[in-house]
Amino acid sequence: MRKNPERRQALVDAAIEVLAKEGARGLTFRAVDAAAEVPTGTASNYFSSRDDLLTQAGGRIYERLLPDDETMAQLDVGGQDRAHFARLMHELVDRIMAFNTGFLALLELRLESTRRPELREVVTKRIRADVDQNIANHAASGLPGDSTTVVTLMLALNWLIMERLTLPGLFSEQEAHELVDVLVERLIAR
Amino acid sequence: MRKNPERRQALVDAAIEVLAKEGARGLTFRAVDAAAEVPTGTASNYFSSRDDLLTQAGGRIYERLLPDDETMAQLDVGGQDRAHFARLMHELVDRIMAFNTGFLALLELRLESTRRPELREVVTKRIRADVDQNIANHAASGLPGDSTTVVTLMLALNWLIMERLTLPGLFSEQEAHELVDVLVERLIAR
DNA sequence: TTGACACCACTCCATCTGTAGTACTACGTT
DNA sequence: AACGTAGTACTACAGATGGAGTGGTGTCAA
């Protein structure tokens, strides 16, 4: 088993790409080799099995989906009203949609989780942590709404993003934009 | 190309099963043969290609996800208040989760749509029609809320169902139940 | 010089597709 | 009632693909 950490990470990133493009079932050592532009057989040398590769990809996606520091800083500036809340949510949606590969790959992993308990566990933990962190961030920000606001917003926004990524013809960009506004508006507790 | 309509439908239903269990990439003629418990080669005789099978499955799932007449009738009885609205939504969630195979298969199809424009078109049309019908049903029912209520509810409930089906450990049954109540409560326009 | 790794090549194996060929069944004809 | 025919179920095979794993060679750095 090879050790080179840059190469290993490049392979995991390539695996995410393959997941999004070809689906979970299309994730083969060979496909990853091709996506990472390394010689045939390389992925074989770095991962003991497909499962291994899959779970490592599951762990890695979240690292890349998390907001960067710059974005986090914005949480604090700009007021604590609904308008600012909405602005942040638009930003969130845009950020995730910009890394659409990651979002799609995560969807594939979720579906694959149905078949692999081990993977399910990894993904569940990651997402649980993400939910908790979003709730905590929101609480610290002083923005209106309660923790349920955060959870319900996540539900609706996630599906909206998925809708836009998988069936772009369903909602127009403008409809999607307005839906975000409405969701923020209504989901803030009275 | 064989004609026997019962067999054809049995094969399409088997294809849905395969989609949910093995993913879009796992949908092969052979796998469908096995799921339908018919001899090897049968699916080959009934469908011209994998694409053909895939799109037909896409059309069929929706038939099976639609509420039966009995459920539709319930729309009218039981009042027009929020409590009744919530009851209907719980029923909706339970009904879809009971046919979890169909929901998962539809998710697989959405992801596969990313790669197959033809399939995307079929699925988009179906879902578009479903959204419109839900809006129309709601309007006719006299229940509180506007069309945006319906759309946003669909967004959130769909992701909630997905969460429960793919990562059952994330929300407890009770949390999920309460989320439905909150969503109905808050998404009804003021 | 030695060890780790990149790269390449080759073999084995699983699986899928498409189709040819045979057997069965139902139905209509005479 | 016997027969013929059409459509289908089922079986088996040929051809092709693609992936896994591994051994070997070259290269670079300690």
Side-chain angles (χ1 to χ4, degrees), chain A residues 108 110 128 163 170, chain B residues 108 110 115 128 163 170:
Chain A
E108 294 281 358
R110 276 171 177 274
R128 173 87 260 162
E163 211 68 273
L170 197 66
Chain B
E108 293 283 357
R110 288 174 103 98
R115 292 152 224 150
R128 175 84 261 162
E163 211 66 274
L170 197 66

Side-chain angles (χ1 to χ4, degrees), chain B residues 8-183:
Chain B
R8 175 169 237 98
Q9 180 152 110
L11 286 169
V12 174
D13 284 334
I16 294 174
E17 223 178 289
V18 173
L19 271 176
K21 276 217 194 74
E22 311 291 335
R25 197 96 171 197
L27 187 83
T28 65
F29 285 145
R30 291 309 193 246
V32 172
D33 289 337
E37 293 180 321
V38 296
T40 307
T42 304
S44 279
N45 287 330
Y46 274 83
F47 301 93
S48 61
S49 67
R50 238 183 107 249
D51 269 55
D52 186 15
L53 187 49
L54 217 44
T55 29
Q56 293 204 29
R60 170 88 176 126
I61 289 180
Y62 253 81
E63 286 176 27
R64 295 183 55 193
L65 273 177
L66 289 181
D68 50 33
D69 297 340
E70 192 187 338
T71 312
M72 286 300 294
Q74 301 242 339
L75 258 181
D76 300 326
V77 304
Q80 301 184 335
D81 56 358
R82 288 182 183 198
H84 184 54
F85 200 158
R87 222 174 304 130
L88 287 173
M89 290 305 103
H90 283 297
E91 205 165 9
L92 173 78
V93 171
D94 291 344
R95 178 162 51 79
I96 294 179
M97 286 198 41
F99 182 36
N100 60 12
T101 303
F103 192 84
L104 291 174
L106 196 50
L107 283 173
E108 293 283 357
L109 282 176
R110 288 174 103 98
L111 289 174
E112 189 68 14
S113 294
T114 296
R115 292 152 224 150
R116 297 174 190 277
E118 189 192 335
L119 179 61
R120 177 162 62 220
E121 213 179 315
V122 172
V123 177
T124 302
K125 265 196 197 121
R126 283 282 181 170
I127 295 188
R128 175 84 261 162
D130 187 44
V131 173
D132 291 342
Q133 202 193 344
N134 279 341
I135 292 175
N137 285 344
H138 173 269
S141 73
L143 286 166
D146 54 15
S147 71
T148 305
T149 303
V150 178
V151 174
T152 50
L153 255 180
M154 285 180 73
L155 295 179
L157 292 182
N158 270 324
W159 193 268
L160 180 61
I161 292 168
M162 152 130 153
E163 211 66 274
R164 296 280 299 147
L165 287 182
T166 61
L167 304 175
L170 197 66
F171 295 124
S172 70
E173 204 169 325
Q174 194 189 343
E175 284 172 316
H177 189 92
E178 289 167 3
L179 281 170
V180 174
D181 285 332
V182 171
L183 284 166

Side-chain angles (χ1 to χ4, degrees), chain A residues 2-174:
Chain A
R2 307 295 151 84
K3 303 281 176 192
N4 184 336
E6 290 94 34
R7 219 148 208 255
R8 175 169 238 98
Q9 179 150 108
L11 287 168
V12 174
D13 284 334
I16 294 174
E17 221 178 291
V18 173
L19 270 176
K21 276 219 194 73
E22 311 291 336
R25 195 97 170 194
L27 187 83
T28 65
F29 285 146
R30 293 307 196 251
V32 172
D33 289 337
E37 293 180 323
V38 296
T40 306
T42 304
S44 279
N45 288 330
Y46 274 82
F47 302 91
S48 62
S49 67
R50 242 184 104 247
D51 269 55
D52 187 15
L53 187 50
L54 217 42
T55 27
Q56 292 203 30
R60 171 91 176 122
I61 288 180
Y62 252 81
E63 286 174 27
R64 296 183 52 193
L65 272 177
L66 289 181
D68 51 34
D69 296 341
E70 191 189 336
T71 311
M72 286 299 295
Q74 301 243 341
L75 258 179
D76 300 326
V77 304
Q80 301 184 335
D81 56 357
R82 290 185 181 197
H84 184 53
F85 200 161
R87 222 174 303 128
L88 288 173
M89 291 304 103
H90 283 297
E91 205 165 8
L92 173 77
V93 171
D94 292 343
R95 177 163 52 80
I96 294 180
M97 287 201 37
F99 181 35
N100 59 13
T101 303
F103 192 83
L104 290 174
L106 197 50
L107 282 174
E108 294 281 358
L109 281 177
R110 276 171 177 274
L111 288 175
E112 190 66 13
S113 294
T114 295
R115 292 152 225 150
R116 298 175 191 276
E118 191 191 334
L119 178 61
R120 178 163 61 219
E121 212 176 317
V122 173
V123 177
T124 302
K125 264 196 198 121
R126 284 282 181 170
I127 295 189
R128 173 87 260 162
D130 187 43
V131 173
D132 291 342
Q133 202 193 344
N134 279 342
I135 292 175
N137 285 345
H138 173 268
S141 72
L143 286 167
D146 54 15
S147 70
T148 305
T149 302
V150 178
V151 174
T152 50
L153 254 179
M154 286 179 73
L155 294 179
L157 292 182
N158 271 323
W159 193 268
L160 180 62
I161 292 169
M162 151 130 154
E163 211 68 273
R164 295 281 300 148
L165 287 181
T166 62
L167 305 175
L170 197 66
F171 296 123
S172 70
E173 203 168 327
Q174 192 188 344

